[in-house]
Amino acid sequence: MLTVTDAVVRYGTIEALHGISFDVQQGEIVALLGANGAGKSTTLRMVSGLHAPASGSIIYEGRDITKVKAHEFVSMGISHVPEGRRVFPQMTVEENLEMGAFRRSGPLRDDIEEIYVQFPILKERRKQPGVNLSGGEQQMLAIGRALMSKPRLLLLDEPSMGLAPMIVETIFSIIGQIRDAGTTVFVVEQNATQALRLADRGYVMENGRIVFGDTAKNLLTDPRVRAVYLGESVEGE
Amino acid sequence: MGFEHFWLSGFDQIHTAFWTYLAVGLQNGAVYAMIAVGYTLVYGVLGLINFAHGEVFMCGGFAGVFLTRDILGDRTGTGWGSVALVLAGIAIGALVSALVAIGVEQAAYRPLRRRHAPKLAFLISAIGASYFLQTLAGKEFGYGVNIFPGQVFEPGQVMFTLFGTTIHTITVVSIIAAIVMLVVADRIVRATRLGRGIRAVSQDAETSSLMGVNIDRTITITFILGGALAGAAGFLYSLQSGMVQNAGTEIGIYAFTAAVLGGIGNLRGAALGGLFIGLFGSFSVPFAFEGNVQWTEIYTFLILVLVLIIRPTGILGERSGRTA
């Protein structure tokens, strides 16, 4: 579904990603793991057009999307839940959800109600501006907003960041439901164990490189993953 | 003349001519409000003050001036002809200013945005665009030469008398036109998909692009909206006062002040601020020392400073002050 080959990303003169390659198959949950500053968010921002790669290619559903602009991604079925939630602070919960369907025409009522079924708390808070929501509620809103575009590929950037363990459980079970409903998920996480319990496959990043990838099952028992999870450097790197 | 006497005589004048001061204040306020909306909308999406916006207003004014002169020549408009001319003047002023605003955005801002230039570069670029337009207008129409439009209304034409005060047609027309255009602008921003895009970009540009909002297009639309309002204001202003190549500086500063007073980034705040500055300027005329109306400017900016000390984000401003 998504194939990235030798992608290099630069911020000015600094090279943030040194030629990374990975792929996501339809129906999978793929986790991208790594310590802070390893390049996970940069990778996700590249995949959703926020930061174009200097070289390399991104193929999505057989189409080269390397040069496609960020605002066109959502129409192609790719939806990105950004790091830190980024709900629109002065828009109500409902307006935020409507923003998620910005590129779709036609009535949204049924779709909004569907999101409310999945996230009942959002219905209670529908008239509240986004800035008044708790972190967990904002994360649910950000995910609900992304689902409003009816994506085929959902990109999630650190969905557990700053949330209480109970809420993290809820968010991860929702991510599982989203995949079961037919949406492919590519998730960036620091919380490696949690992510790998849910994912089918995973990749581990370090210093702007993907150092290895494997099935989630194998990664969970891999000593190198334990090292990353504990924030230690990988042997031999 | 004692100080006490000075104040009393000021209030006496307001007492005797209250409706005249009110009408003048509303008319000026309408113009400021329409320009202020452009400052505030552009601030919302770009996070910077478009210092060439006063010149956008000026260009629309000249367009209206020459339109009416071409049509009317030495004649004076009458009846429905006047109404049609006012509407045409508003339309042509709005159109020309919208085009100028697009030009300013494309030439002065877009290249800097592409290169992620610092805010200061935008400021310099804006001042450059402002001087360019002022000088260009000066070259074409004369420096400091006030050019009057054709007589859409007879000079000083009275529409009706209110409590013994004559209310001029131009005052009524300006106020009605301003209300209609401001309400339409408010509806566009609050209740349409376009407006939702503008508000989204104002609150979080990057995230709005993830929602499928085309940021460049949204910014262009914002300049068009603000430019059209400023151009209409330029025509209405010139009907009364004529247009001069450097009018954008003074009127622009008043309108900018209005936008800050109302809470920069807030459309309704800008309209309210414009109205307030217009009224305050008008009602402070009787308190000008030795009849020198420059004092009204001092009073106006004193009020601005006082309001900002009490409410740093302006009357309707939010914490961040960045909501369209």
Side-chain angles (χ1 to χ4, degrees):
Chain A
M1 185 175 209
L2 180 76
T3 310
V4 174
T5 315
D6 292 330
V8 174
V9 167
R10 292 199 183 91
Y11 287 112
T13 54
I14 300 159
E15 196 170 282
L17 300 181
H18 318 290
I20 60 166
S21 301
F22 64 94
D23 66 281
V24 178
Q25 300 299 320
Q26 177 133 20
E28 279 189 313
I29 296 181
V30 175
L32 185 61
L33 312 171
N36 239 337
K40 307 187 300 294
S41 283
T42 303
T43 304
L44 211 58
R45 291 169 59 81
M46 173 189 78
V47 171
S48 62
L50 287 174
H51 203 105
S55 66
S57 75
I58 309 169
I59 310 288
Y60 167 75
E61 294 182 337
R63 185 182 155 198
D64 187 339
I65 60 165
T66 315
K67 301 260 177 264
V68 174
K69 296 231 161 50
H71 64 87
E72 285 159 6
F73 273 71
V74 72
S75 319
M76 300 188 309
I78 299 181
S79 205
H80 181 163
V81 180
E83 185 176 1
R85 278 79 80 170
R86 305 279 283 269
V87 302
F88 293 105
Q90 319 289 357
M91 289 190 189
T92 64
V93 166
E94 200 145 302
E95 285 176 316
N96 265 283
L97 291 176
E98 285 166 7
M99 276 311 298
F102 190 79
R103 290 298 277 265
R104 282 202 292 133
S105 49
L108 303 174
R109 199 65 252 167
D110 290 352
D111 297 327
I112 290 176
E113 289 303 329
E114 220 171 281
I115 301 291
Y116 285 158
V117 169
Q118 208 161 1
F119 305 97
I121 186 73
L122 295 183
K123 185 165 193 169
E124 275 174 47
R125 298 211 158 239
R126 62 210 276 188
K127 298 285 176 214
Q128 293 275 322
V131 69
N132 287 5
L133 268 54
S134 71
E137 290 163 353
Q138 286 190 354
Q139 187 64 62
M140 292 181 204
L141 178 55
I143 293 174
R145 182 179 65 182
L147 292 177
M148 284 295 289
S149 69
K150 304 216 180 279
R152 296 191 290 282
L153 174 62
L154 183 67
L155 311 173
L156 292 159
D157 199 344
E158 303 273 6
S160 76
M161 193 168 70
L163 301 183
M166 280 261 298
I167 311 285
V168 174
E169 291 285 340
T170 314
I171 298 286
F172 273 91
S173 90
I174 287 164
I175 296 170
Q177 290 166 23
I178 291 169
R179 189 267 302 274
D180 295 342
T183 303
T184 308
V185 177
F186 184 53
V187 56
V188 159
E189 254 304 334
Q190 274 199 64
N191 190 340
T193 17
Q194 191 90 29
L196 288 175
R197 262 189 228 130
L198 182 74
D200 301 295
R201 287 191 302 125
Y203 291 95
V204 177
M205 277 195 96
E206 196 168 88
N207 298 325
R209 285 193 177 82
I210 288 183
V211 285
F212 54 89
D214 205 336
T215 62
K217 216 172 167 187
N218 289 346
L219 287 175
L220 267 173
T221 53
D222 193 308
R224 292 173 300 179
V225 173
R226 290 227 184 83
V228 169
Y229 178 56
L230 294 170
E232 293 163 9
S233 67
V234 178
E235 225 174 306
E237 278 287 319
Chain B
M1 185 166 85
F3 194 66
E4 199 177 330
H5 174 73
F6 168 76
W7 281 106
L8 287 177
S9 94
F11 281 113
D12 260 359
Q13 284 182 55
I14 287 183
H15 189 70
T16 47
F18 176 81
W19 295 100
T20 307
Y21 287 119
L22 182 70
V24 171
L26 286 175
Q27 188 184 336
N28 291 340
V31 168
Y32 297 149
M34 290 168 84
I35 307 168
V37 165
Y39 279 111
T40 227
L41 287 179
V42 167
Y43 180 83
V45 292
L46 289 186
L48 60 93
I49 298 298
N50 174 15
F51 277 108
H53 191 56
E55 278 59 49
V56 171
F57 154 84
M58 176 270 292
C59 292
F62 273 119
V65 163
F66 287 107
L67 172 85
T68 55
R69 279 162 69 118
D70 282 350
I71 292 176
L72 286 173
D74 293 333
R75 290 175 295 127
T76 298
T78 49
W80 288 107
S82 293
V83 176
L85 260 179
V86 168
L87 292 178
I90 286 175
I92 195 89
L95 179 71
V96 168
S97 285
L99 291 174
V100 172
I102 293 173
V104 167
E105 203 275 311
Q106 299 266 350
Y109 297 134
R110 188 161 294 197
L112 295 178
R113 267 194 292 125
R114 291 261 179 287
R115 287 166 183 75
H116 304 284
K119 285 266 144 74
L120 200 56
F122 283 87
L123 180 67
I124 300 298
S125 188
I127 292 171
S130 167
Y131 267 97
F132 172 79
L133 289 168
Q134 253 189 54
T135 312
L136 189 70
K139 192 172 158 292
E140 292 300 315
F141 313 126
Y143 293 91
V145 180
N146 204 349
I147 301 179
F148 281 87
Q151 289 298 336
V152 178
F153 305 111
E154 284 171 46
Q157 183 184 327
V158 173
M159 187 176 262
F160 55 83
T161 308
L162 190 70
F163 303 107
T165 305
T166 55
I167 302 294
H168 297 284
T169 309
I170 176 70
T171 306
V172 178
V173 167
S174 297
I175 293 168
I176 291 175
I179 290 172
V180 170
M181 293 194 71
L182 288 170
V183 168
V184 169
D186 185 68
R187 288 289 86 200
I188 289 175
V189 170
R190 279 182 190 255
T192 68
R193 194 163 159 281
L194 273 182
R196 204 182 300 145
I198 293 175
R199 284 163 58 215
V201 172
S202 297
Q203 291 177 33
D204 187 338
E206 188 175 274
T207 304
S208 70
S209 78
L210 292 177
M211 304 294 118
V213 179
N214 183 336
I215 297 179
D216 280 340
R217 228 188 90 213
T218 305
I219 288 171
T220 304
I221 289 164
T222 308
F223 272 84
I224 290 174
L225 199 60
L229 280 164
F235 171 70
L236 294 171
Y237 172 84
S238 69
L239 274 183
Q240 172 88 349
S241 313
M243 190 44 81
V244 56
Q245 134 271 357
N246 59 4
T249 310
E250 189 196 332
I251 305 298
I253 283 180
Y254 273 114
F256 166 59
T257 305
V260 173
L261 194 66
I264 190 84
N266 186 306
L267 191 150
R268 291 179 183 182
L272 205 69
L275 198 65
F276 179 82
I277 298 247
L279 287 170
F280 186 82
S282 174
F283 279 107
S284 61
V285 166
F287 299 102
F289 289 100
E290 291 161 357
N292 188 343
V293 290
Q294 305 279 301
W295 277 100
T296 64
E297 293 173 21
I298 294 171
Y299 296 145
T300 303
F301 286 97
L302 267 177
I303 281 289
L304 172 75
V305 170
L306 284 178
V307 168
L308 291 184
I309 287 172
I310 298 162
R311 271 191 74 92
T313 53
I315 299 168
L316 294 185
E318 322 239 349
R319 282 168 316 281
S320 66
R322 290 199 54 181
T323 23

